[in-house]
């Protein structure tokens, strides 16, 4: 037993090797000759997990001993990706593990590749949550993630004849070695039923929720390893389990199949992640998912609090609950219910406690993404919560009435209920009202929040809105994803940047060092070769490593304007064909990103990109100077290969519509130059990297707003006045890229013309082409390009999620690091 104990902790090559062999036999149940790559992955993951457990428990003990204030990050999405490299790297045993596997005749890269990508999120918001977990653990902040353990993550995207087709994403199919099931951590969550009024012990009116259906939420815990492994936090994900008692009736009737059906139905709650990004489909199951994980999390938070406290007034000094968008906003009403109905706290006091505990992050201003649930549905699914929401609303509107001085329109806008059409509960308003701080995710986005969606609330509560510009973790997005550049940086400035990214500014002077530039280029080239090989494997297209890798990777959405990028590609294709004698800078346009399965326009744009790619990539007239690829199934793992290899980063959304962006940060940190609009965090990226080192184009958010306020513009006139745009659109509309179905793209052309070009693709086209030309011109001068690329990397330190999380910790959560005592 003693030897096993030591073995489990050993971090050297021999110890790792011995524990791999032991795990393979005794836990995976295979012998070395029969083991597959996946068996070895499970073996290595379980052995690494062993090495986390002591430190994990130490961390938890530390938090208890200090009675530390905890942060609870409630998020419907955690896009964590693979964990093996992350754990090894943060524990600092990457090399030891590689050698141990080597001694067993195994390739570490193959073992790493056997891990499925945990795709429990759609995009930006979910990946941000994952970066925050890493940064909280790295900075010894007592942070817990709470979410759903979806059985099926974001769908797998494949292309069939260039069309996106969705397949289920079965990441749990072969088990998940990182998680610890906690069958004893189980909370009931109720739905439906009705509310009964009664008199409590002191004769006051009180309410109880009865005749409800119950589902159980069971916890699965995943350790979150901070850099250096000193702090290991917890990501707790809930899985739905049927209660054992609710189907007795059916059993008694002998309706066994019916009983089992009920079980399957209630367990559907945590079955699948909704694949919509920035659009709400308004489905009841989605609303139930939101309540399910929120209720279980709040019950768990209160249980932990009550272990050492008995006065709820202390809750805000012991717990900060962050709502990642409005998805968990029903938590405001749930906290009120738990305090008032279950713990007999008086309303006013409960409201003060709730507001002091909660904070809310807004991630988008797009109207279609703002959650508003039909009152009738909320009333049916959560009858007691609907009452509570009415009560919160009545008290708030009463208070605001005096200030509104008869301005009923203003009161209607402030109301938690949208009374127009079918009545709806505005979850953004509820989240705002029930939180002490509300934040946007970039400076511009926060300003726009104050001017648009939350203008009235901002007037009512001028101190509540605050900005917290997003960030990314340098561990995953530079150290792990880009070993070539990381090693170069560390060789010059030491490794302090890994936990203090601001140290990268020491590289500024290196931009003028010709040797450093050469080495920086070499690292980029290595990454480009790796990506070229990946592209060839995935798509069969051979790309030139010396071409500009022009990258647009993100969800497919009209406001992100992949179409603008594609139109530029068509225009460039025409120019290359027209001028074969010119020595063109070779360009590889790289796209990746999923479209929501029901978003027809987005899927049509994917098909168009694939159709154009087919023609361009096979046209000998362009002499391989232009290639277009659409990589299927974009996910965290693919991003880790793409980001380090990019030369040019496309951040070209219609100004005012991208809340922040975080891909823009990953790319610039890895030395790509941004071509972008002044949107989201691009504005701040320009401030940091310098306007000479970024290609800015297009209308500003203010100009866009003025244009729209003035009645829009006439895209047909713009098209008619720009021959290269007109020619590109004519080619698409006459079927040059879709001869088998020439009308295929009419909906796109329609949207750009009669549809009014809502996303201003035509309006920004000319300036975008100018910026592209400037980029191509610069690329002809490798020294100057590299100098600017280095300045990007050097100046991106501020965009570390460590900085972001610190700002939250100090200004919103008021939590402090709880570090291990150094007993050495
Ligand atoms: O804040 C993270 C991320 C931003 O960087 C993106 O700009 C924004 O689009 C994204 N929003 C979402 C979905 N929105 N909702 N709800 O992922 O958040």
């Amino acid at each position: 037993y003693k030897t096993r104990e030591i073995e489990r902790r050993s971090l050297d090559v021999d110890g790792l090797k011995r524990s791999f062999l032991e795990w393979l036999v005794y836990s995976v149940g295979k012998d070395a000759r029969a083991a597959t790559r996946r068996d070895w992955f499970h073996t290595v993951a379980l052995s690494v997990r062993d090495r986390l457990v002591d430190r994990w428990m130490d961390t938890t003990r530390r938090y208890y001993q200090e009675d530390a204030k905890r942060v609870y990050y409630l998020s419907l999405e955690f896009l964590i990706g693979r964990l093996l490299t992350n754990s090894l790297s943060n524990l600092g045993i990457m090399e030891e593990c590689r050698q141990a596997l080597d001694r067993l005749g195994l390739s570490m890269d193959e073992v790493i590749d056997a891990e499925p990508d945990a795709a429990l999120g759609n995009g930006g918001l979910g990946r941000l949550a994952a970066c925050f977990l890493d940064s909280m653990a790295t900075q010894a902040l007592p942070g817990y993630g709470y979410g759903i353990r979806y059985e099926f993550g974001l769908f797998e995207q494949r292309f069939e004849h260039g069309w996106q087709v969705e397949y289920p994403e079965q990441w749990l199919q072969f088990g998940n070695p990182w998680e610890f099931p906690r069958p004893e951590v189980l909370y009931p969550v109720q739905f439906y039923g009705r509310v009964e009024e009664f008199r409590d012990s002191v004769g006051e009116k009180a309410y109880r929720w009865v005749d409800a259906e119950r589902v159980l939420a069971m916890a699965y815990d995943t350790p979150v390893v901070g850099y250096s492994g000193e702090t290991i936090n917890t990501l707790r994900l809930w899985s739905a389990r049927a209660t054992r008692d609710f189907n007795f009736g059916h059993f008694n009737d002998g309706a066994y199949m019916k009983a089992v059906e009920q079980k399957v139905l209630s367990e559907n709650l945590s079955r699948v992640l909704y694949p919509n990004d920035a659009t709400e489909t308004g489905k009841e199951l989605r609303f139930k998912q939101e309540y399910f994980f929120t209720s279980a999390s709040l019950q768990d938070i209160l249980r932990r609090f009550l272990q050492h406290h008995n006065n709820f007034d202390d809750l805000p000094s012991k717990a900060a609950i962050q709502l990642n968008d409005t998805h968990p906003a029903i938590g405001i009403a749930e906290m009120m219910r738990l305090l008032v109905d279950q713990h007999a706290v008086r309303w006013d006091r409960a409201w003060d406690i709730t507001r002091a505990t909660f904070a809310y992050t807004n991630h988008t201003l797009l109207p279609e993404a703002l959650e508003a649930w039909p009152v009738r549905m909320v009333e049916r699914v959560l009858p007691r919560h609907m009452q509570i929401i009415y009560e919160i609303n009545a008290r708030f509107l009463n208070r605001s009435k005096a200030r509104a001085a008869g301005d009923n329109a203003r009161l209607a806008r402030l109301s938690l209920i949208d009374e127009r059409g079918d009545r709806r509960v505005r979850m953004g308003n509820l989240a705002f009202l029930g939180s002490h701080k509300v934040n946007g995710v970039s400076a511009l986005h926060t300003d726009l929040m104050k001017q648009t969606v939350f203008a009235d609330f901002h007037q009512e509560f001028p101190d509540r809105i605050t900005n917290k510009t997003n960030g990314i973790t340098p561990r995953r997005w530079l150290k792990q994803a880009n070993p070539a550049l990381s090693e170069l940086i560390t060789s010059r400035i030491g490794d302090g940047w890994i936990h203090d990214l601001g140290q990268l500014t020491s590289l500024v002077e290196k931009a003028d060092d010709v040797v450093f530039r050469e080495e920086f280029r070499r690292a980029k080239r290595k990454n480009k070769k790796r990506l070229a090989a990946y592209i060839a494997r995935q798509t069969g297209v051979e790309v030139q490593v010396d071409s500009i890798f022009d990258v647009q990777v993100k969800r497919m959405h009209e406001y992100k304007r992949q179409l603008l990028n594609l139109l530029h590609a068509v225009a460039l294709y025409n120019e290359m064909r027209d001028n074969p004698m010119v020595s063109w800078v070779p360009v590889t346009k790289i796209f990746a990103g999923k479209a929501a399965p029901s978003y027809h326009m987005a899927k049509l744009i994917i098909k168009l990109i694939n159709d154009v790619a087919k023609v361009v990539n096979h046209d000998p007239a362009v002499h391989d100077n232009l290639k277009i690829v659409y990589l299927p199934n974009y996910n965290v793992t693919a991003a880790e290969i793409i980001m380090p290899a990019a030369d040019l980063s496309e951040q070209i959304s219609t100004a005012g519509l991208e809340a922040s962006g975080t891909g823009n940060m990953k790319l610039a940190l890895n030395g790509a130059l941004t071509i972008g609009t002044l949107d989201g965090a691009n504005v701040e990226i320009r401030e940091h990297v310098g306007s000479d080192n970024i290609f800015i184009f297009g209308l500003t958010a203010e100009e866009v707003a003025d244009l729209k306020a003035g009645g829009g513009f006439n895209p047909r006139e713009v098209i008619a006045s720009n021959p290269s745009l007109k020619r590109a659109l004519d080619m698409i509309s006459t079927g040059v890229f879709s001869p088998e179905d020439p009308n295929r793209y009419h909906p796109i052309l329609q949207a750009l013309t009669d549809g009014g070009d809502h996303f201003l693709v035509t309006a920004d086209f000319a300036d975008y082409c100018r910026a592209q030309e400037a980029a191509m011109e610069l690329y002809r001068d490798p020294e100057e390009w590299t100098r600017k690329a280095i300045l990007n990397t050097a100046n991106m330190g501020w965009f570390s999620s460590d900085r972001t999380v610190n700002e939250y910790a100090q200004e919103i959560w008021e939590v402090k690091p709880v570090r291990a005592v150094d007993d050495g």
Side-chain angles (χ1 to χ4, degrees):
Y1 177 78
K2 257 273 175 277
T3 354
R4 285 191 62 154
E5 182 85 337
I6 295 163
E7 214 77 285
R8 278 173 192 274
R9 292 175 190 184
S10 141
L11 297 176
D12 62 28
V13 178
D14 277 337
L16 283 166
K17 183 184 149 199
R18 277 197 302 274
S19 75
F20 292 165
L21 288 171
E22 183 166 325
W23 264 109
L24 181 69
V25 176
Y26 295 104
S27 294
V28 177
K30 284 277 182 85
D31 91 8
R33 270 166 310 180
T36 62
R37 278 191 329 151
R38 188 178 305 114
D39 294 327
W40 280 111
F41 159 66
H42 279 263
T43 300
V44 175
L46 290 169
S47 313
V48 172
R49 198 183 78 162
D50 273 357
R51 283 147 179 83
L52 305 178
V53 171
D54 288 323
R55 297 160 190 240
W56 192 17
M57 290 178 177
D58 281 348
T59 304
T60 310
R61 246 190 315 272
R62 226 154 67 208
Y63 296 163
Y64 270 99
Q65 276 161 4
E66 301 227 348
D67 190 18
K69 179 169 180 180
R70 271 83 153 183
V71 182
Y72 299 110
Y73 199 81
L74 268 57
S75 179
L76 204 48
E77 303 188 4
F78 285 95
L79 194 45
I80 50 183
R82 289 178 175 167
L83 293 182
L84 182 55
T85 318
N86 194 241
S87 309
L88 290 171
S89 168
N90 278 2
L91 283 178
I93 54 167
M94 203 71 178
E95 220 16 68
E96 289 76 358
C97 184
R98 189 179 293 280
Q99 285 180 30
L101 288 170
D102 208 45
R103 287 188 194 174
L104 293 166
L106 295 161
S107 140
M108 170 106 142
D109 293 341
E110 285 187 10
V111 171
I112 287 171
D113 263 344
E115 178 171 6
D117 191 290
L120 308 184
N122 273 286
L125 162 158
R127 183 54 231 174
L128 186 76
C131 283
F132 281 9
L133 290 181
D134 181 274
S135 282
M136 288 193 284
T138 294
Q139 304 195 87
L141 290 167
Y144 293 69
Y146 275 113
I148 294 183
R149 179 183 177 272
Y150 300 106
E151 202 174 311
F152 298 96
L154 186 60
F155 65 87
E156 183 192 330
Q157 177 196 52
R158 294 191 205 160
F159 296 138
E160 293 178 6
H161 307 292
W163 293 101
Q164 169 178 299
V165 180
E166 301 89 23
Y167 287 82
E169 205 286 322
Q170 307 193 45
W171 73 296
L172 290 175
Q173 197 178 13
F174 301 101
N176 173 7
W178 298 111
E179 67 187 7
F180 289 81
R182 307 283 192 212
E184 75 289 359
V185 183
L186 211 56
Y187 295 97
V189 178
Q190 307 202 115
F191 298 99
Y192 311 110
R194 63 193 173 82
V195 179
E196 249 179 27
E197 194 183 310
F198 65 102
R199 294 273 158 191
D200 67 12
S201 54
V202 289
E204 297 271 346
K205 256 195 211 163
Y207 301 90
R208 65 180 151 240
W209 182 9
V210 296
D211 296 342
E213 282 182 16
R214 278 182 157 206
V215 178
L216 297 174
M218 176 183 147
Y220 284 77
D221 288 348
T222 302
V224 179
V225 191
Y227 179 62
S228 85
E230 175 195 304
T231 296
I232 302 195
N233 282 338
T234 304
L235 169 61
R236 176 160 281 187
L237 300 178
W238 301 105
S239 180
R241 295 281 177 276
T243 52
R244 275 198 240 119
D245 49 349
F246 82 102
N247 49 22
F248 276 171
H250 295 310
F251 274 122
N252 295 342
D253 293 347
Y256 172 71
M257 292 308 285
K258 183 100 185 141
V260 175
E261 230 172 67
Q262 279 298 319
K263 177 175 160 66
V264 171
L265 281 181
S266 35
E267 295 186 355
N268 274 347
L269 265 178
S270 54
R271 200 80 69 200
V272 57
L273 165 75
Y274 274 88
N276 304 305
D277 180 74
T279 35
E280 286 310 326
T281 46
K283 292 275 188 297
E284 182 168 317
L285 180 62
R286 164 76 168 205
F287 180 60
K288 288 175 71 176
Q289 285 187 334
E290 297 184 350
Y291 177 64
F292 166 74
F293 99 95
T294 305
S295 171
S297 308
L298 295 191
Q299 292 181 64
D300 200 38
I301 292 165
L302 290 188
R303 175 202 50 85
R304 191 172 296 117
F305 171 76
L306 289 171
Q307 281 177 351
H308 296 287
H309 301 270
N310 50 22
N311 183 349
F312 281 108
D313 289 336
D314 297 334
L315 184 66
S317 63
K318 293 294 159 195
I321 300 176
Q322 188 68 34
L323 303 174
N324 198 24
D325 218 274
T326 55
H327 314 142
I330 191 68
I332 307 277
E334 173 69 353
M335 181 62 96
M336 288 300 287
R337 184 185 75 83
L338 293 170
L339 292 176
V340 173
D341 293 1
Q342 297 206 340
H343 295 281
V345 179
R346 301 292 297 262
W347 181 281
D348 286 337
R349 196 175 143 222
W351 182 245
D352 288 345
I353 294 168
T354 299
R355 216 160 25 89
T357 307
F358 280 84
Y360 153 56
T361 307
N362 173 278
H363 291 274
T364 179
L365 305 173
L366 297 182
E368 64 269 33
L370 300 178
E371 287 189 298
W373 295 107
V375 165
R376 272 192 306 161
M377 186 195 76
V378 180
E379 228 156 30
R380 191 163 42 79
V381 180
L382 301 177
R384 178 63 183 132
H385 296 75
M386 195 62 239
Q387 284 186 337
I388 290 172
I389 290 168
Y390 278 139
E391 181 68 27
I392 296 172
N393 201 30
R395 288 172 185 242
F396 168 56
L397 292 181
N398 245 338
R399 206 206 72 155
S400 310
K401 227 177 237 160
R403 291 160 49 93
D407 184 349
N408 287 337
R410 179 181 160 78
L411 282 177
R413 290 194 302 269
L414 284 170
S415 174
L416 299 189
I417 312 294
D418 184 349
E419 304 281 353
R420 297 165 303 178
D422 62 336
R423 303 172 67 237
R424 282 169 182 264
V425 181
R426 292 166 167 150
M427 301 310 277
N429 290 14
L430 176 63
F432 194 110
L433 203 55
S435 296
H436 64 289
K437 288 285 174 201
V438 175
N439 76 285
V441 289
S442 73
L444 174 67
H445 167 65
T446 303
D447 281 347
L448 293 174
M449 271 168 74
K450 292 180 184 171
Q451 290 164 30
T452 60
V453 275
F454 291 123
D456 297 299
F457 276 95
H458 179 51
Q459 273 187 14
E460 289 280 311
F461 306 100
D463 299 330
R464 198 163 293 185
I465 298 184
T466 171
N467 178 52
K468 296 286 162 273
T469 299
N470 284 167
I472 54 168
T473 166
R475 270 74 61 187
R476 185 176 287 263
W477 295 112
L478 185 51
K479 182 173 186 283
Q480 291 154 41
N482 195 345
L485 182 57
S486 304
E487 282 158 24
L488 172 62
I489 294 172
T490 299
S491 75
R492 297 304 164 93
I493 66 169
D495 65 2
W497 60 270
I498 298 170
H499 59 88
D500 177 12
L501 200 61
Q503 291 187 21
L504 290 184
T505 47
S506 315
L507 293 175
V508 168
E509 59 191 47
K510 303 268 186 295
D512 293 322
D513 173 343
V514 68
V515 178
F516 187 77
R517 283 203 300 266
E518 177 57 35
E519 291 184 55
F520 192 92
R521 256 195 312 275
R522 208 177 297 145
K524 180 64 80 182
R525 200 179 157 77
K526 189 170 176 190
N527 295 326
K528 288 175 75 172
K529 275 188 169 167
R530 181 173 67 162
L531 177 56
Y534 180 78
I535 291 172
R537 275 200 309 279
Q538 297 284 323
T539 66
V541 179
E542 300 286 338
V543 302
Q544 284 193 55
V545 175
D546 291 320
S547 61
I548 300 187
F549 277 18
D550 176 351
V551 167
Q552 188 168 22
V553 289
K554 46 185 80 246
R555 281 300 284 251
M556 172 57 72
H557 205 296
E558 285 164 282
Y559 84 81
K560 294 180 189 277
R561 300 199 295 191
Q562 283 90 350
L563 185 56
L564 177 58
N565 188 355
L566 182 78
L567 289 174
H568 169 255
V570 175
L572 186 61
Y573 170 62
N574 288 333
E575 273 188 61
M576 286 179 172
R577 283 168 51 99
D578 292 352
N579 303 285
M581 301 314 284
V582 170
S583 119
W584 291 98
V585 175
V587 174
T588 303
K589 293 252 184 199
I590 299 166
F591 294 87
K594 299 177 184 179
S598 58
Y599 191 170
H600 299 298
M601 186 59 103
K603 289 170 98 168
L604 192 59
I605 295 172
I606 292 181
K607 170 68 175 158
L608 174 59
I609 297 174
N610 281 326
D611 272 354
V612 172
K614 202 163 63 186
V615 171
V616 170
N617 295 346
H618 290 105
D619 188 342
V622 294
H623 302 292
D624 285 346
N625 281 328
L626 179 61
K627 293 279 176 195
I628 302 173
V629 290
Y630 203 122
L631 284 166
N633 204 38
Y634 183 57
N635 58 17
V636 174
T637 301
E640 287 166 9
I641 301 171
I642 298 169
M643 300 298 177
D647 294 307
L648 195 60
S649 156
E650 298 276 349
Q651 307 302 332
I652 59 177
S653 49
T654 316
L657 297 184
E658 186 71 270
S660 162
T662 45
N664 48 3
M665 300 169 189
K666 291 162 201 165
L667 286 157
L669 179 63
N670 280 282
L673 270 57
T674 304
I675 180 166
T677 47
L678 284 176
D679 198 15
N682 296 352
V683 177
E684 289 150 274
I685 291 177
R686 181 179 69 159
E687 282 163 18
H688 282 84
V689 304
S691 49
D692 289 346
N693 304 313
I694 187 169
F695 302 99
I696 295 294
F697 73 93
L699 296 166
T700 62
E702 214 175 331
E703 287 164 347
V704 169
D706 290 348
L707 192 70
K708 299 242 156 169
F713 73 114
N714 186 346
R716 283 192 189 278
E717 273 172 20
V718 176
I719 295 166
S721 68
N722 187 321
S724 112
L725 175 59
K726 181 167 183 329
R727 185 171 165 199
L729 291 173
D730 284 346
M731 286 165 79
I732 294 169
S733 75
T734 55
V736 170
F737 302 107
S738 55
E740 68 287 9
D741 181 3
N743 292 333
R744 178 178 293 149
Y745 296 111
H746 277 186
I748 294 178
L749 296 152
Q750 180 74 15
L752 290 183
T753 53
D754 299 338
D757 187 11
H758 186 60
F759 299 100
L760 307 176
V761 171
T762 59
D764 274 344
F765 180 80
D767 204 25
Y768 178 57
C769 290
R770 177 203 52 78
Q772 281 282 359
E773 269 162 37
M776 281 187 271
E777 212 33 56
L778 182 70
Y779 200 75
R780 290 182 189 279
D781 182 349
E783 293 298 334
E784 196 47 19
W785 181 282
T786 311
R787 201 179 66 78
K788 289 178 191 282
I790 294 170
L791 289 175
N792 268 266
T793 300
N795 288 309
M796 283 300 291
W798 188 77
F799 296 92
S800 165
S801 47
D802 297 344
R803 186 268 313 154
T804 313
V805 152
N806 251 317
E807 288 182 12
Y808 276 85
Q810 287 172 28
E811 295 158 34
I812 299 181
W813 303 331
E814 298 185 352
V815 293
K816 295 201 171 54
V818 180
R819 299 210 170 270
V821 183
D822 183 359
D823 53 10

